[in-house]
Amino acid sequence: MAPVYENGVLSELDEEYLYDPAILESLDFDKCSVKFNPPISPSHPGPGLRVRPLSTNDYDKGFMKLLSQLTEVGEVSREQFLRRFHDMKQCPNTYYVTVVEDTETDHPGDAVIGTATLVVEQKFIRGCAVRGRLEDVVVNDTYRGKQLGKLIVTTIMMLAREMNCYKISLDCKDKMIPYYESLGFSLEPGNSNYMTMRIPKCSL
Ligand SMILES: CC(C)(COP(=O)(O)OP(=O)(O)OC[C@H]1O[C@@H](n2cnc3c(N)ncnc32)[C@H](O)[C@@H]1OP(=O)(O)O)[C@@H](O)C(=O)NCCC(=O)NCCS
């Protein structure tokens, strides 16, 4: 049956989450060492706000526009977005793209106001352990300074613990180091180099 759209957005019946929202509800923020003032958590992020997995509706709620505040996004059609969404979903226990939605905004096309991703990488080392990678952290510039970055990153840290990751790592610009240090990340002496090779098409 063809999906049903209401005001350009998939009807609730056809909306799909990238991962089970119950995982977020099960996170015990009382055990979290990062403190929030005023206290907020994924289940109580603030009036009108909701922390949840990425959904098939988020293309129309400004998810790609939000990512463009982080880096170059390019032209991505809804079809490309949905294909990538389903490709990710077909890798079980791997992609935890998490968003904050403002459910009361006057701009439904910009309702997704924050996001961060946990990628869980399967390893052979450490007894076939899993490690976490924190990726694509961004809060809409009109919502910054309200602890939402801290909330979404902390949610990813708690998710990584829930998934039994033995560590979680990230790469960031130098100026962001104090931010992540304030959330418990550290530059390990002798082990904090991040190297890159940009790969133009057909150059190798
Ligand atoms: C980084 C970002 C996600 C922070 O979001 P935010 O919602 O404004 O952050 P918070 O309100 O949760 O800030 C939490 C604390 O970090 C501090 N902080 C924010 N940005 C900081 C920075 N660049 N360096 C150091 N501290 C910073 C805040 O002052 C605040 O401190 P406080 O708790 O003592 O008041 C947001 O600024 C953003 O989206 N930036 C552009 C994209 C980006 O750079 N992403 C990171 C890529 S690695």
Side-chain angles (χ1 to χ4, degrees), residues 70 137-139 144-150 172 176 179-180:
L70 171 70
V137 179
V138 59
V139 171
R144 288 182 195 162
K146 299 178 178 178
Q147 304 190 98
L148 295 176
K150 194 157 125 177
C172 70
M176 292 307 299
Y179 181 70
Y180 288 112

Side-chain angles (χ1 to χ4, degrees), residues 21 73 87 126 134 165 169 177 204:
V73 167
D87 286 349
R126 295 176 185 262
L134 171 63
C165 294
S169 59
I177 292 172
L204 299 179

Side-chain angles (χ1 to χ4, degrees), residues 59-92:
Y59 184 85
D60 297 304
K61 293 186 179 182
F63 177 66
M64 301 304 298
K65 220 191 296 178
L66 175 65
L67 285 179
S68 72
Q69 292 188 19
L70 171 70
T71 190
E72 189 187 325
V73 167
E75 290 293 314
V76 176
S77 66
R78 181 191 278 110
E79 288 64 34
Q80 283 175 300
F81 168 81
L82 290 174
R83 208 175 309 129
R84 179 51 44 91
F85 180 99
H86 287 113
D87 286 349
M88 286 182 171
K89 196 164 174 171
Q90 275 167 21
C91 304

Side-chain angles (χ1 to χ4, degrees), residues 173-188:
K173 295 202 166 83
D174 291 352
K175 66 172 188 183
M176 292 307 299
I177 292 172
Y179 181 70
Y180 288 112
E181 281 181 337
S182 75
L183 298 174
F185 289 84
S186 60
L187 292 167
E188 292 179 345

Side-chain angles (χ1 to χ4, degrees), residues 35-41 44-47 145-147 150-151:
K35 296 296 165 219
F36 293 87
N37 184 18
I40 53 172
S41 66
H44 297 95
K146 299 178 178 178
Q147 304 190 98
K150 194 157 125 177
L151 177 66

